[in-house]
Amino acid sequence: MPEPSPSSPPSPPSPPAASVPEAVHRRRWAILGVLMLSLLIVVLDNSILNVAVKTIASPDPVGLGATQSELEWAINSYTLVFAGLLFASGLLGDRFGRKKSLLAGLVVFGLGSALAAFSGSPGELIAHRAVMGLGAAFVMPATLAVLMNVFERDEQPKAIGIWAGGVGLAIAIGPITGGVLLEHFWWGSIFLVNVPVVLVALALMAWLVPESKDPAPGRIDLVGVLLSVLGLVLLVYGIIRGGERASFTEPGVLVPVLTGLAVLTAFVLYEKRSDHPALDVSYFRKPVFSAAVAAIALVFFALMGVTFFSAFYLQSVRGYSALDSGLLLLPLALAQMVFAPRARLAVARFGARAVCACGMAAVALGLGAFAFFDADTPVWVMALVFLVQGAGMAHIMPPVTVAIMQSLPREKAGSGSAINNTFRQVGGALGVAVLGSVLSSVYRSEIEPHLDALPPAVRTTAGESLEATLAVAEKLHADALTAPAHQAFLDAMHITAFASAAIAVVGTLVVAAFLPGRTPPPGAPARTAPEPAAPAHR
């Protein structure tokens, strides 16, 4: 074979074939917009409900008269079904098509929203929220899986940052929309508003979003999915019961907690031995992957618990309307919208470890600030705290999501997204349960000495929550009970805030220890030890 002439210019290397079809690549940003619309209603549903908990806790005809436990289950029935089915939904999306998963999930979510809007009791609301969780379980992982399949690797961090910023947009729209609806309509309107959004999203998705699937999917692990759902439900049920009873040593609390932990242990052991696991535990052998999912779980554990009790603080103690409460959360959402799409720039300069550790520290600082809030804290201080929390989250979620998704092959995007969202939802659900139980337990112990003036028949009910105490005081014209109830709640909130801040500090230590530091930019010369000088030829 003749060698090329020295004067011939070297032929340029052929560019690697694009892994994303050109037709899909051209409309990738429009596809991202549709995915964010689907993400919007799934996340909005949680934030909009947090504003409405006080209204739903009010007696009929204003609300449903839901107790503290029923309110927690109205949130947890959604998140637990969501988290428990994410494994299966991610695998089904990889097998049968992520677009099909999105469309089916949106239909179920819209149906559940319509049913929830017309619930006649707390029990019906909990059940219909579970239906919504079923639909959301197929929507959320598919959005991220589709994103990974329509963007090239170098654009994925930017797209994921915008995707994460969509969560901030939902947090902003949720409370404000909920406040406006509650000012003018009945509480069910916060769910009914999802239906027209679902219809628009379905039409755009059918038109724009391409189909993608795993060319070699595995079998569905039904045993693993059932074990995970059963274990989580038992564990969180026991924790909620502990808060209701103000004791974690009663058999009715210990049995479900210990049984739930045993089932979850069996789930992990089964997955390690299964040849088609719902959760591939080998992913967790990578320290970066494990640290990323731990960070997601810990930050949402802390944040969802605080978001739950902040609604009562703002509305019941401070006297703000639902709309005013939503507007006060606006700095948190705006900070996420502004900083999340730009987090990749900070990671490129300082490294994921420094950026995420600073973000977790900011979240811990914001959560800890609640321990110093009282009935007269200035509004600007609360707005500043929410701004710090939002900025912290904006520098955590995009980098850790990128770390998780880019650790896995593209054809397993559905499974990777399921793991990412499962730990986020489980962390949030446990945060509401654990921190809600702490809040309930401390409040009960603080308010009980002040309930002696009430008739014995209503003392137990009056001690369940701040809303229950205020409702009984209003009914019996026991105005002297209002101030002690507010103070008891503030004391409980302070202790709960310290607990949530401690969880965020643990997250700070985890990401500081295991996430990667700054990586050299492409093309930078590697630092190597100098080679020894060649021996002189004699």
Side-chain angles (χ1 to χ4, degrees):
M1 181 175 179
E3 294 185 4
S5 168
S7 60
S8 303
S11 57
S14 57
S19 55
V20 177
E22 180 61 27
V24 174
H25 182 74
R26 285 198 303 267
R27 64 177 192 267
R28 64 196 184 282
W29 297 110
I31 293 170
L32 179 59
V34 178
L35 297 177
M36 289 181 62
L37 182 61
S38 305
L39 177 71
L40 177 71
I41 58 171
V42 172
V43 178
L44 178 147
D45 183 72
N46 266 336
S47 61
I48 204 172
L49 181 59
N50 286 328
V51 174
V53 289
K54 181 179 183 295
T55 304
I56 296 174
S58 302
D60 184 72
V62 175
L64 294 176
T67 65
Q68 182 89 357
S69 173
E70 289 169 337
L71 288 173
E72 291 178 4
W73 274 108
I75 295 174
N76 283 333
S77 64
Y78 177 87
T79 52
L80 285 180
V81 172
F82 189 175
L85 295 179
L86 275 171
F87 297 130
S89 66
L91 293 173
L92 285 171
D94 285 343
R95 173 188 289 270
F96 297 110
R98 288 132 192 169
K99 181 176 181 177
K100 294 185 182 70
S101 180
L102 276 169
L103 294 172
L106 281 173
V107 169
V108 174
F109 184 86
L111 177 62
S113 298
L115 292 172
F118 298 100
S119 299
S121 67
E124 288 184 12
L125 178 61
I126 291 170
H128 298 152
R129 289 274 297 164
V131 175
M132 297 173 66
L134 172 63
F138 285 84
V139 172
M140 179 71 91
T143 61
L144 195 51
V146 170
L147 182 155
M148 298 299 290
N149 280 271
V150 300
F151 284 90
E152 299 290 358
R153 186 177 180 88
D154 60 338
E155 281 191 321
Q156 287 172 0
K158 181 179 181 180
I160 288 175
I162 296 173
W163 181 88
V167 176
L169 179 63
I171 293 174
I173 293 177
I176 297 172
T177 304
V180 171
L181 291 172
L182 291 173
E183 289 279 338
H184 298 90
F185 304 101
W186 94 115
W187 62 266
S189 61
I190 66 171
F191 299 114
L192 197 61
V193 73
N194 292 335
V195 176
V197 181
V198 165
L199 295 176
V200 173
L202 284 171
L204 292 175
M205 196 171 295
W207 175 36
L208 287 172
V209 175
E211 186 61 278
S212 63
K213 62 179 67 175
D214 184 352
R219 290 183 291 155
I220 302 298
D221 180 17
L222 293 178
V223 174
V225 170
L226 292 175
L227 286 174
S228 66
V229 173
L230 179 61
L232 287 169
V233 169
L234 286 171
L235 176 62
V236 178
Y237 172 78
I239 293 170
I240 293 175
R241 286 291 296 168
E244 290 176 338
R245 306 296 298 175
S247 170
F248 287 87
T249 58
E250 296 182 3
V253 175
L254 276 179
V255 170
V257 167
L258 295 178
T259 305
L261 290 173
V263 173
L264 290 175
T265 301
F267 165 71
V268 173
L269 295 176
Y270 178 83
E271 296 302 286
K272 290 177 66 175
R273 290 165 172 78
S274 175
D275 59 354
H276 57 286
L279 174 61
D280 188 349
V281 295
S282 66
Y283 295 153
F284 293 91
R285 294 173 185 168
K286 303 176 181 179
V288 173
F289 185 90
S290 297
V293 296
I296 287 176
L298 290 171
V299 72
F300 272 84
F301 181 101
L303 191 70
M304 286 300 292
V306 169
T307 303
F308 179 73
F309 69 66
S310 67
F312 290 99
Y313 167 70
L314 293 173
Q315 297 181 47
S316 298
V317 177
R318 300 301 300 267
Y320 294 124
S321 67
L323 178 58
D324 291 337
S325 299
L327 291 173
L328 276 172
L329 293 175
L330 194 58
L332 184 147
L334 291 177
Q336 290 195 65
M337 291 172 59
V338 171
F339 291 112
R342 295 167 174 80
R344 74 188 194 284
L345 304 177
V347 171
R349 182 171 182 179
F350 302 107
R353 178 188 302 158
V355 172
C356 290
C358 289
M360 289 292 292
V363 170
L365 182 65
L367 296 174
F370 275 89
F372 302 95
F373 283 6
D374 56 31
D376 301 313
T377 300
V379 172
W380 70 266
V381 173
M382 293 187 288
L384 179 61
V385 168
F386 286 130
L387 181 70
V388 170
Q389 285 182 322
M393 287 194 67
H395 288 89
I396 299 168
M397 301 311 299
V400 297
T401 303
V402 170
I404 292 172
M405 298 305 296
Q406 291 193 344
S407 297
L408 308 176
R410 178 172 285 181
E411 60 270 16
K412 299 297 182 184
S415 300
S417 179
I419 293 172
N420 173 69
N421 288 294
T422 295
F423 276 83
R424 182 169 69 175
Q425 292 300 319
V426 170
L430 292 178
V432 171
V434 173
L435 297 179
S437 297
V438 172
L439 182 75
S440 178
S441 299
V442 177
Y443 177 80
R444 182 186 292 271
S445 64
E446 291 278 336
I447 197 62
E448 276 182 349
H450 301 280
L451 301 178
D452 293 339
L454 297 177
V458 300
R459 290 176 188 170
T460 300
T461 301
E464 286 184 354
S465 66
L466 172 62
E467 284 302 307
T469 305
L470 295 179
V472 171
E474 182 179 2
K475 183 177 181 180
L476 300 180
H477 304 287
D479 296 337
L481 196 57
T482 301
H486 286 169
Q487 188 57 52
F489 180 85
L490 288 172
D491 292 343
M493 185 182 78
H494 294 163
I495 293 175
T496 309
F498 277 127
S500 60
I503 296 297
V505 169
V506 172
T508 305
L509 298 176
V510 168
V511 298
F514 296 106
L515 285 187
R518 183 174 181 272
T519 55
R527 294 185 178 180
T528 57
E531 296 182 3
H537 294 286
R538 295 183 182 273

